[in-house]
Amino acid sequence: MSDAATASAAAATAPWWVRPGLDVDPDGRLRIAGRDAEALAREHGTPLFVYDEAHLRHRCREAVDAFGDGVAYASKAFLCVAMARLAHEEGMHIDVATGGELHVALAAGVPADRLVLHGNNKSPEELREARAAGIGRIVIDSFDELD
């Protein structure tokens, strides 16, 4: 059986939770972007978060293509400097909900006008920080936030 046929057969029998960029090789080992997950865990320890950069970039571009400029990555899904930078590089705005998320996005080099502050428990200090940074959009959840 060719390598492509073996990979196809493995993908066809992969568990339901195996997503694009993931694969189960013929030995039943999970692979992420072609890398053996068990070997990664041995090398880096566990718990270990592994992301497929090419897949993330592709999904960001899909969102921008589908919804246009203004579509935002929800940082509550996962945020670190690298993820904020990646989403921005692929044309997305970043939706932040806290001063901490605002800090991470700015540290990643995301221009403040590409940020959206949207959270239901924004403190007066977070609102002041967002305005001082020049954040692009603030979603107001109550009239109290306008005071």
Side-chain angles (χ1 to χ4, degrees), residues 50-62 73 78 83 86-87 90 92:
V50 180
Y51 291 89
D52 178 348
E53 181 178 347
H55 179 72
L56 289 172
R57 288 184 181 280
H58 174 75
R59 295 308 303 255
C60 288
R61 286 190 300 272
E62 281 184 329
Y73 172 77
F78 172 71
M83 186 64 219
L86 181 150
E90 296 306 330
M92 298 190 83

Side-chain angles (χ1 to χ4, degrees), residues 93-94 102 111-117 130-131 133-139:
H93 290 246
I94 310 292
L102 173 63
D113 67 347
R114 301 287 294 176
L115 299 176
V116 178
L117 179 63
R131 291 203 47 190
I135 200 162
R137 212 173 322 151
I138 299 174
V139 177

Side-chain angles (χ1 to χ4, degrees), residues 41-135:
R42 276 194 311 274
E43 181 179 345
H44 300 285
T46 62
L48 177 66
F49 291 90
V50 180
Y51 291 89
D52 178 348
E53 181 178 347
H55 179 72
L56 289 172
R57 288 184 181 280
H58 174 75
R59 295 308 303 255
C60 288
R61 286 190 300 272
E62 281 184 329
V64 171
D65 289 347
F67 300 106
D69 187 46
V71 65
Y73 172 77
S75 67
K76 65 184 174 185
F78 172 71
L79 187 66
C80 68
V81 169
M83 186 64 219
R85 185 175 298 126
L86 181 150
H88 170 65
E89 288 172 355
E90 296 306 330
M92 298 190 83
H93 290 246
I94 310 292
D95 177 21
V96 297
T98 67
E101 291 173 351
L102 173 63
H103 175 78
V104 170
L106 292 172
V110 180
D113 67 347
R114 301 287 294 176
L115 299 176
V116 178
L117 179 63
H118 185 205
N120 63 356
N121 194 27
K122 298 179 288 294
S123 71
E125 181 60 27
E126 288 170 326
L127 289 166
R128 280 191 290 278
E129 288 174 7
R131 291 203 47 190
I135 200 162

